[in-house]
Amino acid sequence: MLVRNLLKNRYAAVTANKMLAALRRTLEEAYRLDGMTATEYQKAIAFPNLPLPNQQKLRGRALSGSEIDQLLAICEKDPSPK
């Protein structure tokens, strides 16, 4: 697909994949609003995401149960309006 190749050449894989997801969602809305047939829609969204280099690891880490409890306790003590 031309759009996929253009994004691949201009952006990092993660950024390009976000843009491709937005394109798929826009196409879904066009289909939902009768702007295209089901066949046209299926053909239009039939493109894969770009592969991530070295299957990029997710950033961050999982919080332990006690860390989550501490965060919730701090939120409970927060005096700002809820």
Side-chain angles (χ1 to χ4, degrees):
M1 170 178 220
L2 178 63
V3 173
R4 183 179 180 272
N5 289 334
L6 287 172
L7 293 175
K8 178 181 178 182
N9 293 332
R10 288 189 179 183
Y11 300 100
V14 172
T15 303
N17 285 338
K18 287 179 183 179
M19 293 177 175
L20 291 172
L23 175 59
R24 285 185 192 97
R25 184 69 177 114
T26 301
L27 292 167
E28 181 182 347
E29 286 302 311
Y31 165 68
R32 212 175 57 74
L33 296 170
D34 295 326
M36 58 177 40
T37 66
T39 302
E40 291 170 333
Y41 169 68
Q42 289 301 319
K43 286 181 180 180
I45 65 164
F47 53 88
N49 277 340
L50 296 174
L52 299 178
N54 299 328
Q55 289 301 314
Q56 288 178 336
K57 293 182 180 179
L58 297 176
R59 294 181 183 171
R61 63 180 179 82
L63 297 177
S64 68
S66 63
E67 289 173 314
I68 293 171
D69 291 339
Q70 290 172 353
L71 285 171
L72 292 175
I74 290 169
C75 290
E76 288 289 324
K77 292 177 186 175
D78 185 1
S80 53
K82 297 181 181 179

